[in-house]
Amino acid sequence: MRKLTIAIFVALLSLPAFAETGEGFKGDETPPPPHKQDSGYKGMEDTHNITISHLKELREGAWVTLKGNIVKKIADDHYQFRDKTGTIDIKLAKDTWNGEEVTPNDLVTISGKVGKDLQSVNVEHFRKE
């Protein structure tokens, strides 16, 4: 009886090791075409309508909030992000996902600092709409 109890206890403790986290980018869906993207205003606190096309007008390190879709994973923490006006590279660390699972069809809001090249964003806040 004692061996059975220990075996059940060990089996229950090992279950989380086999579980898939379910967070991060799932790239198996095709993103919507750019002309079909709709930002869908939902009462964001940030009243500035920044788009990717406006990034080159900003300075390095400027804080931006963008709405769009993560369309492709490029490298470990690097993804391609697209809104109605264009595409940029973003750096989105694993701890920033907040346990969310995202596909190319999901509308997301990202906030972060503009990179040195003025064509990338280092994401610090992420939210799935």
Side-chain angles (χ1 to χ4, degrees):
M1 181 70 170
R2 181 174 166 93
K3 289 181 182 181
L4 179 63
T5 304
I6 291 173
I8 291 173
F9 182 71
V10 169
L12 288 175
L13 288 178
S14 65
L15 285 178
F18 297 111
E20 193 171 311
T21 61
E23 64 184 45
F25 180 70
K26 305 295 181 199
D28 39 347
E29 290 187 28
T30 306
H35 68 280
K36 293 276 187 175
Q37 288 183 284
D38 185 19
S39 64
Y41 179 77
K42 295 184 180 186
M44 291 290 298
E45 299 82 23
D46 186 4
T47 58
H48 302 289
N49 290 328
I50 299 291
T51 61
I52 292 173
S53 63
H54 291 113
L55 285 183
K56 56 186 153 221
E57 300 169 11
L58 302 174
R59 63 175 170 73
E60 175 190 343
W63 187 266
V64 294
T65 299
L66 301 166
K67 284 188 180 184
N69 301 80
I70 299 173
V71 294
K72 183 168 69 171
K73 184 173 185 171
I74 300 169
D76 190 33
D77 288 346
H78 296 273
Y79 300 87
Q80 191 174 55
F81 181 85
R82 183 175 72 193
D83 71 3
K84 290 181 181 181
T85 65
T87 303
I88 60 166
D89 292 340
I90 62 172
K91 182 178 181 186
L92 184 62
K94 290 178 183 158
D95 59 346
T96 310
W97 284 103
N98 299 325
E100 294 283 348
E101 182 177 304
V102 177
T103 68
N105 284 320
D106 294 324
L107 180 66
V108 298
T109 301
I110 60 170
S111 297
K113 294 180 182 177
V114 176
K116 291 180 183 178
D117 57 0
L118 301 181
Q119 288 296 315
S120 66
V121 174
N122 294 321
V123 178
E124 295 186 27
H125 298 284
F126 164 84
R127 183 174 70 203
K128 181 178 175 180
E129 297 292 325

